[in-house]
Every structure is written in C-alpha cells, then in structure tokens.
C-alpha cells in the first residue's frame, strides 16, 4: 500500500484540493509540505499527535516536511474553533515556547542533512511593512468571502476583532512565502483550517499564475480529535515535567471503547493488516487494545524504557496486592505539615494535581478526588504525618490520574 492510500485507510484525510495530483506527489516522494504550529504554550500536547505522526509517515515515504513554528502568527491568535479571543503573549514567551517545540519535534522528525526543515514565520511576518503587505496581497482577498468562512462565523455573535480578522491573511502569506522560497507545494492542517488554507492556495495562484501547483490537504477532525489531549479540563502535555509518562500512559489507557481502535489506526505505526484484525475485537479485548495504544504512544514520545515502566506501574496498581512503587510520586517535607497534619488541598497543589487552592476546592466539591480509595467529601479534610508510616497514601483525581505521596 502506498502512502496516500495508507493515509486514507487510517482515516486521516478529510478534504483535498486535487486528489490525483496530491496522490502522485506524496506517493512518489515529490512533496515538500508544511504544517504550522502556533506556540501558545511551552509544550506540545497530545492534540498535536496526528500532525506529528503524519509528518513522520510522509518523511518515511521520501517526502520533505517543513515544521513551521508560528512565532509571528501566535502574536495574532487563530480564531478557528474559538468563542473568545486568545491570550496575548509577549515576544519573549513566544520565543521560549518555540524553542521547547523544536526539542519535542525532533523525537518525531529527522532534521539531519536537510531531510526536513524547521522554520519560524516570525522571520518574515515581523519584517513586513503593513502598507506594502496591503498593496502586495490585499486585493487577493474578498472580505465577503472571508466573512463566510466557518472560522469567522463562529465568532461573529460575540465579536471578531480586527486583529484576529488578519489571521487568514497571515496564514495564507505563509504558504505563499514557503512556495516561493522553499519550493513548498503542499500544506496540511486540521479541517477547521480549510478556509484559511484555501486562502493560501488562492493567493499563490493569483500572484504567481493559475498553473502554480499549490495543493492542500486537511486532516480529519472528529469527536476524538476535538477532545484529544484533554483530561479533566487539563492538557495532556508531551513534556514529561508537565505530564508524567505514567499519566500520559493512563490517558490513552482510558480512552473510550468507541475511540480506541480509531486512535490506534490514526496515531500508531502498527501495520494496517494488524489493525484490521483488531477491528473485530470486542468486550475484554478492547482493554488489551487500550494497553497497546497507551504503550505505543508512550514509547513514541518518551521512549521504550519509560513506556515499559508506565505499563508495569499501571498493571501493578490495578492488580490485587499490587505495588505502587513505580507510580508518580510527590515527596513531602516536614515544612509541609502544620501541627502534624497536611490538608488534602495542599497535597493537590503540591503535586500539581490542581493548579491552585481554588481549583483543588472545586475538584473536592465536585466529588472528583479520592484519598486512599475513599471519596474526599470535605474541603477541610487532612491527613496526619503518622498515617504515612502505616499505608501508601495515594490520591486519585478523576478516573485517570494517580499520585503517591511519601515523606522525604
């Protein structure tokens, strides 16, 4: 099976501008393609998985990826899929986040010997003169067409700022710039980006002629894709300091039965033939499928050793008489205790299971916290220092997140 057919078999393709030309490009290793990553945080999330694994698949088939860091577009903020305006970041924050992205991408993409490029659109967008940009590309965009775009329609009720209105022009300019300067002939993105991406192909054709071979593919965005990388309201990060390998494993181990085989098909590198056989699985076999999914993705992000440790810890945790030794652990010091006790709220904040005491109170009030398998019903609940010598002290947040506490 050639790569384009494999992408379709894995359920990754949503829309394309010219399927015959795209199939020829990618199947023959002739595509130089880009995917953009706006750096709104200091780590990629599990929600970036489809883009990262897609780049890896296409590179393995001989195509050349361009990972485009959105140092410039992040300063504006993409309104797609948003009901409110994104938080404005400083240039220093954006540069820091971009550096973090680069390190994580290198686990997926081979940047050696020119096999892939990593670029930052700040290098050209921040140098543009506003009047010159309007003269160069302004006439290529119809305001009427832009207002019909789905990414803008979602925002019209609450108000769309002129700042965000420019995002489509900036993203389109990226493809135009990459096409001219890096022979980039193909762009990928989520299907909620379709209008923005068509703006890029249209800009290229209007500026460089109808024969300019600029093509577009969008990746399927389904219910799992929209929620991918989120758990209990928090992001599932690729940075092990923000989401431990154990918690990362547990997230994928606990996906819904209806999503597990879809995720295996879209995100892992298991052979299609093996996955097709798994499509017949049901009942308890789906638990085995979830273990496979969790192990394969944890190995991809954190390496085989961490994946094996996370799997062993998860199995041990749920086994009768299992050990919690390999569970993510927070060490408490004597200063954490007052009069020989520590509150559950302080434990949640100390372990970063909650970002603040307010969030910790909310989790407890909503019934989302278990202490040693018993639901915490009071925000005033605490535990004594002597209890740590008597048993393992484990807090469970929701169904998926566990933390062991010990005294250093």
């Amino acid at each position: 099976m050639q790569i384009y057919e494999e992408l379709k078999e894995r359920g990754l393709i949503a829309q394309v501008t010219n399927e015959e030309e795209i199939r020829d490009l990618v199947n023959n290793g002739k595509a130089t393609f880009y995917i953009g990553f706006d750096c709104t945080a200091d780590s990629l999330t599990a929600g970036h998985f489809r883009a990262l694994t897609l780049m890896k698949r296409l590179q393995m088939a001989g195509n050349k990826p361009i990972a485009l860091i959105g140092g410039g577009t992040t300063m504006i903020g993409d309104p797609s899929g948003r009901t409110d305006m994104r938080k404005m970041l400083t240039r220093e924050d954006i540069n820091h986040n971009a550096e973090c992205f680069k390190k994580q991408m290198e686990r997926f993409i081979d940047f050696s010997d020119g096999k892939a490029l990593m670029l930052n659109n700040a290098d050209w967008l921040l140098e543009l003169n506003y009047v010159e940009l309007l003269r160069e590309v302004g006439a290529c965009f119809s305001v009427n067409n832009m207002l019909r775009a789905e990414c803008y329609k979602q925002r019209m009720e609450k108000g769309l700022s002129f700042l965000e209105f420019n995002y489509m022009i900036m993203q389109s300019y990226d493809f135009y710039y990459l096409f001219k300067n890096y022979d980039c002939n193909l762009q990928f993105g989520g299907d909620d980006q379709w209008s923005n991406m068509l703006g890029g192909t249209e800009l290229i054709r209007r500026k460089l002629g109808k024969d300019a071979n600029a093509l577009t593919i969008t990746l399927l965005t389904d219910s799992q894709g929209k929620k991918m990388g989120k758990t209990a309201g928090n992001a599932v990060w690729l940075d092990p300091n923000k989401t431990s390998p154990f918690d990362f494993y547990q997230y994928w181990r606990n996906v819904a039965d209806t999503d597990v085989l879809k995720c295996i098909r879209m995100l892992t590198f298991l052979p299609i033939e093996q996955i097709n056989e798994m499509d017949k699985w049901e009942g308890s076999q789906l638990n085995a499928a979830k273990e496979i999914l969790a192990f394969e993705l944890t190995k991809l992000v954190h390496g085989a050793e961490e994946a094996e440790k996370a799997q062993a810890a998860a199995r041990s945790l749920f086994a009768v008489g299992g050990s919690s030794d390999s569970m993510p652990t927070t060490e408490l010091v004597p200063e954490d205790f007052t009069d020989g006790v520590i509150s559950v709220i302080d434990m949640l904040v100390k372990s970063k299971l909650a970002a603040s005491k307010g969030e910790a109170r909310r989790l407890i009030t909503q019934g989302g916290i278990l202490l040693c398998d018993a639901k915490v019903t009071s925000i005033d609940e605490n535990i004594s220092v002597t209890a740590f010598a008597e048993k393992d002290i484990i807090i469970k947040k929701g169904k998926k997140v566990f933390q062991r506490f010990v005294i250093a």
Side-chain angles (χ1 to χ4, degrees):
M1 183 182 297
Q2 291 188 288
I3 184 61
Y4 185 78
E5 285 67 32
E6 181 180 345
L7 296 181
K8 294 190 70 173
E9 179 76 9
R10 290 183 179 273
L12 288 167
I13 304 298
Q15 304 175 84
V16 299
T17 52
N18 186 315
E19 186 169 55
E20 184 176 346
E21 289 186 45
I22 290 171
R23 178 185 287 110
D24 176 67
L25 273 181
V26 300
N27 282 348
N28 291 289
K30 297 186 294 185
T32 297
F33 67 96
Y34 97 91
I35 299 180
F37 299 83
D38 275 0
C39 33
T40 53
D42 59 1
S43 172
L44 296 165
T45 74
H48 292 106
F49 248 128
R50 280 178 305 170
L52 294 169
T53 57
L54 175 84
M55 297 176 87
K56 184 177 178 71
R57 292 184 208 280
L58 287 167
Q59 186 179 51
M60 291 168 63
N63 298 285
K64 183 175 181 177
I66 297 176
L68 182 63
I69 302 296
T73 42
T74 304
M75 297 189 74
I76 303 301
D78 183 5
S80 301
R82 301 281 298 189
T83 58
D84 57 358
M85 188 169 166
R86 295 181 186 271
K87 176 184 175 183
M88 297 289 286
L89 299 177
T90 67
R91 190 176 297 189
E92 291 73 22
D93 288 338
I94 292 170
N95 290 340
H96 170 73
N97 295 346
E99 288 301 315
C100 295
F101 276 24
K102 288 179 182 179
K103 294 175 184 176
Q104 293 173 353
M105 286 180 180
E106 288 171 349
R107 292 195 66 93
F108 294 83
I109 305 162
D110 181 3
F111 291 98
S112 67
D113 303 321
K115 296 173 186 173
L117 297 176
M118 185 174 292
L119 304 174
N120 189 328
N121 63 18
D123 292 343
W124 53 87
L125 291 179
L126 299 188
E127 299 300 319
L128 291 172
N129 176 283
Y130 186 62
V131 173
E132 289 179 0
L133 175 65
L134 290 178
R135 288 176 60 86
E136 183 178 9
V137 305
C140 299
F141 290 87
S142 161
V143 171
N144 291 344
N145 289 339
M146 291 173 72
L147 290 176
R148 284 194 289 269
E150 193 63 33
C151 62
Y152 290 143
K153 286 197 298 184
Q154 296 176 18
R155 292 295 310 281
M156 294 302 289
E157 289 185 11
K158 288 196 173 184
L160 175 70
S161 71
F162 183 71
L163 180 73
E164 297 168 290
F165 189 65
N166 281 271
Y167 191 90
M168 181 186 291
I169 297 174
M170 295 179 70
Q171 182 172 337
S172 300
Y173 191 88
D174 280 343
F175 194 20
Y176 171 60
Y177 185 91
L178 293 172
F179 185 90
K180 286 200 309 177
N181 294 281
Y182 292 93
D183 297 322
C184 177
N185 50 23
L186 182 61
Q187 61 177 335
F188 280 85
D191 66 355
D192 58 345
Q193 294 284 311
W194 182 245
S195 299
N196 287 351
M197 297 169 73
L198 287 182
T201 57
E202 181 63 20
L203 175 60
I204 290 170
R205 287 170 182 158
R206 293 194 63 175
K207 294 294 295 181
L208 303 178
K210 293 183 179 180
D211 294 331
N213 193 27
L215 302 166
T216 297
I217 299 181
T218 63
L219 304 178
L220 187 64
T221 301
D222 53 28
S223 59
Q224 176 63 20
K226 290 176 181 176
K227 68 187 179 185
M228 193 180 294
K230 299 285 187 179
T231 177
N234 298 314
V236 178
W237 306 99
L238 304 195
D239 182 344
N241 295 315
K242 296 170 74 73
T243 298
S244 71
F246 175 85
D247 288 336
F248 187 86
Y249 178 95
Q250 281 296 101
Y251 171 75
W252 297 106
R253 175 62 181 81
N254 288 285
V255 299
D257 288 355
T258 53
D259 290 328
V260 58
L261 292 175
K262 185 185 301 181
C263 288
I264 288 175
R265 185 175 293 276
M266 295 175 73
L267 304 177
T268 76
F269 286 81
L270 296 176
I272 287 290
E273 296 76 14
Q274 180 181 347
I275 298 171
N276 288 341
E277 286 297 315
M278 294 169 68
D279 278 339
K280 305 169 187 175
W281 289 9
E282 56 186 21
S284 61
Q285 289 177 305
L286 293 178
N287 285 327
K290 293 178 185 181
E291 281 202 341
I292 292 171
L293 172 67
F295 182 84
E296 290 296 321
L297 297 189
T298 306
K299 180 175 68 173
L300 189 61
V301 174
H302 299 295
E305 182 178 352
E306 290 295 338
E308 289 166 1
K309 287 166 60 177
Q311 186 171 74
R315 288 175 175 174
S316 176
L317 180 63
F318 294 105
V320 176
S323 169
S324 60
D325 290 346
S326 52
M327 188 186 303
T329 299
T330 294
E331 291 188 346
L332 303 175
V333 296
E335 291 75 17
D336 292 319
F337 293 81
T338 301
D339 296 328
V341 300
I342 183 172
S343 70
V344 172
I345 286 178
D346 286 341
M347 294 170 71
L348 289 170
V349 174
K350 172 92 175 186
S351 63
K352 298 183 180 178
L353 292 176
S356 65
K357 289 188 176 183
E359 183 183 350
R361 293 188 191 97
R362 178 180 58 79
L363 289 169
I364 292 172
T365 301
Q366 294 175 349
I369 299 298
L370 275 69
L371 173 63
C372 299
D373 292 327
K375 183 175 289 188
V376 178
T377 57
S378 170
I379 60 173
D380 297 320
E381 185 154 346
N382 54 44
I383 189 165
S384 69
V385 68
T386 57
F388 288 81
E390 299 169 357
K391 59 184 176 181
D392 281 336
I393 303 300
I394 296 171
I395 286 183
K396 179 181 178 184
K397 183 176 79 169
K399 296 180 179 180
K400 305 171 183 177
V401 180
F402 298 81
Q403 193 79 10
R404 175 185 179 228
F405 292 81
V406 298
I407 298 177

